[in-house]
Amino acid sequence: MQKEIRIGLLGLGTVGSGVVRIISNHQEELYKQTGLHIHIDKILVRDTNKKREVPIAPDRLTVNAEEIIEDPEIDVIVEVMGGIEPAKQYILEALKRKKNVVTANKDLMALHGAEILRIAQQNRCDVFYEASVAGGIPILRALTDSFSSDRITKIMGIVNGTTNYILSKMSQTGADYQETLEEAQKLGYAEANPGSDVEGWDAAYKMSILSTLGFHVAMNLSEVDVKGISDVSIEDIELGKKLGYEMKLLGLAKLDDQKIEVSVQPTLVRNTHPLASVNGVYNAIYIEGEAVGETMFYGPGAGALPTATSVVSDLVSVVRNMKLGVNGQKMVAPYKEKRLKTDDEKYAKYFLRMVVADQRGVLAQMTQLFANNHISLEQVIQQPYNSGNRAEIILVTHEAAKSDLEIALATMKEMDVVSSIESCYPVVEA
Ligand SMILES: NC(=O)c1ccc[n+]([C@@H]2O[C@H](COP(=O)([O-])OP(=O)(O)OC[C@H]3O[C@@H](n4cnc5c(N)ncnc54)[C@H](OP(=O)(O)O)[C@@H]3O)[C@@H](O)[C@H]2O)c1
């Protein structure tokens, strides 16, 4: 009878080191829960001479992936190397050799998840990827297991720690975007090349995974509306605060009348909404279900040990399935027809800030323009602008169709009295 599960680990960086640590420190708990000893057999790295965060015998490191993937004694591959290739090729090879897979790779699962899961099912193997979204928060298992009896109608997420750190720091200190980004880079909260985080792509990968699992449709990344935070100004954050909102890079996935919209964009969230108080590098996912109502999951979105707990929990699920002989049978492939909303079906409240000529009748022209485009206004503020004979108008609309808003903005841009449209953000109320 099998007494040991042998793991091949692809990658020994931040997450890989955390996995080694948790498997070594939690041996007893893992044995009690699985009845088997979990043993990391071999580890793939780029450089075997590099100093490691965890003590590892040099003979367990290799730069040759075949040594792991082709080893018939290895039962499970844990992929924590990141990137698309060669990670994808290694995972597919492993599945074809009937090895189960655990991965933390959101880029790979968002872009190629459907293909990987199909091949996994053909080979009766598990592919679990809990750590790929919101590191230490067990949100994928919640969506696939805990909410399996409900119908999810909305998922809102703060799923990128770097941007949440930058926006909450700007809000707390009054510093501008560039200065705060540089500070985040010095502290290690933002990468030297922060593009994927600040332009919203990292969050979009995660929202694509969450909406696929929440709504049972195969969402593509190209179907997510994405806007990053690099244009968010401290003026907007402070004006938002005065009106009772906090700026967040918010992922939104919404289902209305069987039609879906998924977006990632800077959003003003009412300060009494639970998501508004999620600060720093923390993540949170707020879920609405027809039966359950509102729930929220909060926790660390990254870091060696939080992320590794998700990876090792997936490993425990794989091992339990191996003992029952049910690998590859638990995953539910997307089974619903995907119908995406058009812009005239996407409704939101909006915050707008524009600079206009400071003369009689301009405000009336603006409000008339919105009325002509079926947009009603909840709040209108006019205040002096700091240069020229100009004024600043700040508007908060009632719910309006995205298509109507776009027509109003395009018309406004052509008006002589409008100097600039400074900003436009969706608004989420509590
Ligand atoms: N860091 C987090 O908090 C976090 C949170 C959630 C999810 N994730 C995901 O987890 C994965 C790993 O992230 P990480 O932060 O641990 O990355 P990392 O610190 O950069 O580590 C990557 C590891 O993979 C190895 N590696 C990379 N490419 C390789 C190749 N072509 N051949 C052989 N070895 C290779 C590296 O080897 P060397 O050490 O020799 O260079 C390194 O050990 C990514 O998919 C990431 O998105 C990370």
Side-chain angles (χ1 to χ4, degrees):
M1 205 177 120
Q2 192 170 4
K3 291 209 169 96
E4 189 176 77
I5 289 290
R6 296 178 67 187
I7 309 296
L9 188 61
L10 310 184
L12 187 58
T14 306
V15 182
S17 304
V19 169
V20 170
R21 213 170 251 154
I22 290 204
I23 291 181
S24 138
N25 294 351
H26 299 183
Q27 275 288 334
E28 191 190 342
E29 290 83 352
L30 295 171
Y31 180 74
K32 292 275 187 231
Q33 290 179 74
T34 61
L36 293 169
H37 292 288
I38 296 180
H39 173 72
I40 299 177
D41 218 38
K42 287 186 198 139
I43 305 176
L44 179 74
V45 289
R46 268 183 301 224
D47 175 2
T48 52
N49 295 318
K50 196 163 153 183
K51 193 173 176 305
R52 300 289 162 186
E53 293 290 317
V54 281
I56 286 286
D59 62 348
R60 283 163 70 195
L61 298 180
T62 177
V63 292
N64 182 3
E66 282 151 22
E67 262 186 52
I68 297 178
I69 289 158
E70 293 178 8
D71 183 342
E73 301 293 313
I74 287 184
D75 306 289
V76 188
I77 297 292
V78 174
E79 186 275 307
V80 283
M81 57 193 277
I84 303 297
E85 289 295 359
K88 181 182 172 202
Q89 179 205 332
Y90 296 162
I91 286 178
L92 293 183
E93 269 305 311
L95 291 171
K96 286 173 191 161
R97 289 168 193 274
K98 312 284 180 208
K99 296 188 194 306
N100 298 290
V101 171
V102 173
T103 175
N105 195 327
K106 62 193 159 279
D107 312 32
L108 184 60
M109 290 312 290
L111 293 171
H112 302 284
E115 179 188 353
I116 290 171
L117 295 175
R118 182 169 41 78
I119 292 173
Q121 225 156 20
Q122 282 165 4
N123 288 283
R124 297 199 150 241
C125 289
D126 290 329
V127 172
F128 292 146
Y129 47 103
E130 181 66 73
S132 66
V133 179
I137 308 177
I139 188 62
L140 302 194
R141 200 160 286 126
L143 279 176
T144 52
D145 291 354
S146 316
F147 291 127
S148 57
S149 60
D150 204 350
R151 285 193 197 126
I152 306 294
T153 51
K154 196 195 269 184
I155 304 170
M156 290 200 288
I158 295 174
V159 287
N160 180 271
T162 302
T163 48
N164 202 47
Y165 175 84
I166 293 172
L167 292 176
S168 20
K169 255 298 185 255
M170 286 171 75
S171 172
Q172 285 156 11
T173 63
D176 70 13
Y177 168 75
Q178 195 54 40
E179 187 185 339
T180 313
L181 169 62
E182 282 162 22
E183 189 209 308
Q185 284 171 319
K186 272 191 214 132
L187 293 170
Y189 294 145
E191 289 179 20
N193 179 359
S196 171
D197 292 316
V198 299
E199 295 310 331
W201 291 107
D202 175 86
Y205 286 136
K206 294 166 180 167
M207 289 311 295
S208 148
I209 294 173
L210 289 174
S211 47
T212 295
L213 294 177
F215 300 147
H216 307 291
V217 297
M219 275 308 290
N220 295 323
L221 190 67
S222 58
E223 293 158 342
V224 182
D225 282 339
V226 187
K227 189 167 174 233
I229 65 161
S230 52
D231 291 332
V232 172
S233 68
I234 187 62
E235 287 81 8
D236 290 326
I237 290 182
E238 290 187 338
L239 272 169
K241 269 168 85 170
K242 277 190 196 145
L243 297 175
Y245 300 103
E246 287 293 335
M247 185 75 78
K248 297 288 170 198
L249 182 69
L250 196 73
L252 169 73
K254 227 169 123 191
L255 179 74
D256 296 296
D257 298 330
Q258 302 305 314
K259 288 193 168 182
I260 294 171
E261 64 175 292
V262 185
S263 63
V264 169
Q265 52 194 327
T267 301
L268 285 166
V269 179
R270 175 64 70 192
N271 55 18
T272 49
H273 192 289
L275 285 168
S277 52
V278 176
N279 288 319
V281 291
Y282 276 88
N283 281 196
I285 296 110
Y286 168 98
I287 293 185
E288 267 180 32
E290 268 182 19
V292 75
E294 302 168 39
T295 56
M296 191 165 103
F297 299 76
Y298 171 85
L305 291 180
T307 310
T309 56
S310 291
V311 172
V312 179
S313 303
D314 277 349
L315 205 45
V316 168
S317 299
V318 168
V319 176
R320 285 181 178 149
N321 286 349
M322 284 171 75
K323 287 184 78 179
L324 296 170
V326 294
N327 295 102
Q329 291 176 40
K330 203 186 142 202
M331 292 175 293
V332 181
Y335 60 89
K336 287 200 176 161
E337 186 199 347
K338 178 171 58 184
R339 294 168 66 211
L340 299 174
K341 288 188 199 172
T342 49
D343 281 355
D344 58 337
E345 295 169 314
K346 294 177 187 168
Y347 275 79
K349 285 180 73 163
Y350 290 96
F351 165 101
L352 292 149
R353 181 164 70 90
M354 62 209 77
V355 178
V356 298
D358 191 7
Q359 61 194 49
R360 201 171 336 138
V362 173
L363 192 57
Q365 277 184 59
M366 291 294 157
T367 47
Q368 189 58 49
L369 169 70
F370 282 103
N372 292 347
N373 286 289
H374 325 290
I375 301 168
S376 61
L377 302 176
E378 185 187 280
Q379 281 194 68
V380 181
I381 299 166
Q382 180 166 355
Q383 58 187 32
Y385 192 62
N386 51 15
S387 72
N389 186 23
R390 292 184 292 175
E392 193 170 52
I393 295 181
I394 297 122
L395 304 170
V396 180
T397 72
H398 285 293
E399 292 240 317
K402 190 176 177 200
S403 52
D404 287 335
L405 182 84
E406 277 169 3
I407 295 171
L409 289 176
T411 314
M412 219 184 285
K413 274 189 193 148
E414 300 301 316
M415 290 165 70
D416 289 342
V417 291
V418 176
S419 304
S420 59
I421 298 168
E422 294 289 310
S423 47
C424 172
Y425 301 106
V427 169
V428 166
E429 295 294 349

